[in-house]
Amino acid sequence: MTQHARPVLMTEMTWPDYAEALKGDPVVFLPTGTLEQHGPHLPMGVDHMLPLAICADVARAVGGVVAAPVCYGYKSLPRSGGGPFFPGSVGLDGGTLSATVRDVIRELVRHGIRRVCVIDGHFENRWFLNEGIDLAMRDAAGRDLHVMCLQHWDFLTPDTLAQVFPGEYPGIELEHAAVLETSLMLHFHPDLVREDLIPDNAPADAPPYDFWPARRAWVPEEGSLTTARGASREKGALMAAQYRRDISAAVRREFGLDA
Ligand code: ZN
Ligand code: MN
């Protein structure tokens, strides 16, 4: 009989695998993101593919389980994701995303899960995830449920950022399909990056407000909100290592895994 390594992704587990994992009272990681244009050189799944990879790394480090990702997210906005202009970007209404996260957590709680960590990769999702989690907490009133939620780039320290951006860090909104995401994709999914098409456009030039209908002129032609030149596999590996170390440490601390 072939011995299988313990799978960490629920999508690859059998139900007996999952039942066995539940005996360890695991933290369940929920990757969230969206389906959205990411310039001419990156696939449209970046925002959920990176969280899935990060969740798998952290789950292996702390002995957790990774739920199937939520692959659709809140609507792309021109100033942080390029907006609705590009073929392929698919946005949920905010209430749909909140309700999805709420339902998934409720189901995990029904399985006996007590600790959930949501790792997100799409800037616009933030408050709708918070809302879904808050409603899930209300649903679980009286039960033992603890939920953590983060957007991965918030774990980058000034020291790491100084190495990834030897010039100036343009800020996470402009870092759409640029150096940060391209480097992480070169680390986790090198065969999905079209290195010959890495764009070198000027930063998006938008005023400090949103406007409807969305303004096409605010968004660079390429879809990347600033240059992706300077992305490298080494920078991706550096950020991924920091995520593995620091997100694992935060998870252990907040969920009392060391106790
Ligand atoms: Zn992205
Ligand atoms: Mn995004």
Side-chain angles (χ1 to χ4, degrees):
M1 198 174 87
T2 314
Q3 287 294 315
H4 291 275
R6 189 184 78 86
V8 75
L9 305 181
M10 274 176 77
T11 52
E12 297 181 358
M13 290 180 179
T14 61
W15 74 260
D17 289 335
Y18 183 59
E20 184 63 31
L22 287 179
K23 291 179 186 164
D25 192 19
V27 174
V28 170
F29 293 85
L30 177 60
T32 58
T34 199
L35 184 67
E36 171 186 58
Q37 72 83 18
H38 272 75
H41 64 305
L42 294 176
M44 294 196 288
V46 166
D47 284 3
H48 63 262
M49 294 167 78
L50 292 178
L52 177 60
I54 295 162
C55 281
D57 265 2
V58 176
R60 282 190 197 97
V62 305
V65 164
V66 182
V70 179
C71 295
Y72 294 95
Y74 185 64
K75 296 154 195 162
S76 181
L77 294 176
R79 293 193 298 144
S80 45
F85 309 106
F86 299 82
S89 295
V90 174
L92 299 179
D93 288 349
T96 309
L97 177 59
S98 296
T100 301
V101 168
R102 176 187 191 172
D103 285 0
V104 171
I105 294 175
R106 187 191 60 242
E107 286 294 273
L108 294 172
V109 169
R110 189 173 63 77
H111 302 159
I113 297 298
R114 304 186 300 119
R115 296 172 294 204
V116 178
C117 178
V118 179
I119 298 186
D120 182 52
H122 178 56
F123 184 80
E124 290 88 331
N125 279 352
R126 182 166 190 176
W127 304 112
F128 302 106
L129 297 176
N130 287 356
E131 173 68 354
I133 292 165
D134 191 64
L135 295 174
M137 292 302 297
R138 194 194 293 172
D139 295 340
R143 301 183 72 150
D144 185 23
L145 175 63
H146 300 262
V147 183
M148 181 171 170
C149 183
L150 64 100
Q151 294 191 308
H152 60 81
W153 49 83
D154 283 336
F155 269 75
L156 296 172
T157 59
D159 190 48
T160 301
L161 288 173
Q163 293 181 66
V164 176
F165 299 95
E168 198 187 342
Y169 178 44
I172 192 58
E173 291 100 318
L174 276 186
E175 260 305 313
H176 175 78
V179 170
L180 193 153
E181 288 184 315
T182 304
S183 297
L184 283 165
M185 285 299 286
L186 284 168
H187 172 70
F188 285 118
H189 294 288
D191 38 334
L192 294 179
V193 180
R194 319 261 174 105
E195 293 196 62
D196 51 324
L197 296 178
I198 287 178
D200 189 23
N201 50 286
D205 183 21
Y209 52 82
D210 296 312
F211 196 86
W212 287 263
R215 297 278 204 225
R216 182 66 181 86
W218 292 1
V219 184
E221 198 60 42
E222 294 83 349
S224 299
L225 296 189
T226 189
T227 180
R229 281 285 153 80
S232 73
R233 194 181 297 206
E234 293 69 32
K235 289 178 178 179
L238 178 77
M239 291 185 278
Q242 199 201 328
Y243 288 163
R244 194 181 315 117
R245 185 180 66 240
D246 293 353
I247 297 175
S248 298
V251 165
R252 288 181 192 283
R253 185 171 64 243
E254 296 302 336
F255 292 135
L257 297 190
D258 297 325

